[in-house]
Amino acid sequence: MTIYSQLMPKRDRDQPEDGPGLAGFGRYAGPATLILSSLADGPKHGYALTKDVEEFAGVRLAPGTLYEALARLESQGLIEALEAEDRRRPYRLTAAGAVALRAHLDAQRRVTDTGLRRLAANWGTA
């Protein structure tokens, strides 16, 4: 079990394994979160996604990681491919993707808020 999976909130029994949120993505939730967050700003092709993620998160997604995550997100209906432009295929967030991203980020916010509150109470830092 990874530290990330230990921090993830437990899934509600009535919630499907793959939604809402990104709980069904397991170890792939990190790249999926970054990609969905980038696409929340508008459609982008692979290179533009990589550059945007690197800019806002300081993370460089390797091409294999990026395209595997894009295929996964598309198969789940969270993003959709648009018509290719000059050999570049842009992707855009779907309504289901926006709902899943919001649910996942809300869960992560709860973890972050709890961690910061506990640090402040016990270590005097926030």
Side-chain angles (χ1 to χ4, degrees):
M1 179 179 288
T2 66
I3 290 175
Y4 183 75
S5 63
Q6 291 171 358
L7 293 175
M8 290 300 298
K10 291 188 178 143
R11 191 173 57 85
D12 186 310
R13 275 188 211 134
D14 298 328
Q15 178 181 329
E17 183 65 29
D18 56 338
L22 304 177
F25 280 78
R27 68 182 182 178
Y28 302 104
T33 303
L34 296 171
I35 291 166
L36 293 175
S37 294
S38 180
L39 293 177
D41 192 38
K44 293 178 186 71
H45 55 77
Y47 181 75
L49 274 165
T50 300
K51 287 303 179 190
D52 186 47
V53 166
E54 195 169 356
E55 185 178 305
F56 79 78
V59 173
R60 179 152 182 0
L61 294 175
T65 301
L66 174 69
Y67 289 102
E68 183 177 340
L70 287 171
R72 226 177 247 278
L73 291 166
E74 188 175 16
S75 74
Q76 294 290 322
L78 302 178
I79 64 171
E80 60 186 0
L82 302 174
E83 191 170 321
E85 304 169 355
D86 298 331
R87 297 185 351 198
R88 294 178 175 174
R89 177 166 299 273
Y91 295 86
R92 74 174 162 206
L93 189 65
T94 64
V99 168
L101 179 61
R102 162 102 35 214
H104 184 70
L105 293 175
D106 283 344
Q108 291 306 298
R109 179 183 293 148
R110 285 190 301 276
V111 171
T112 300
D113 290 347
T114 298
L116 290 172
R117 188 175 52 255
R118 289 176 179 177
L119 276 172
N122 295 304
W123 297 90
T125 62

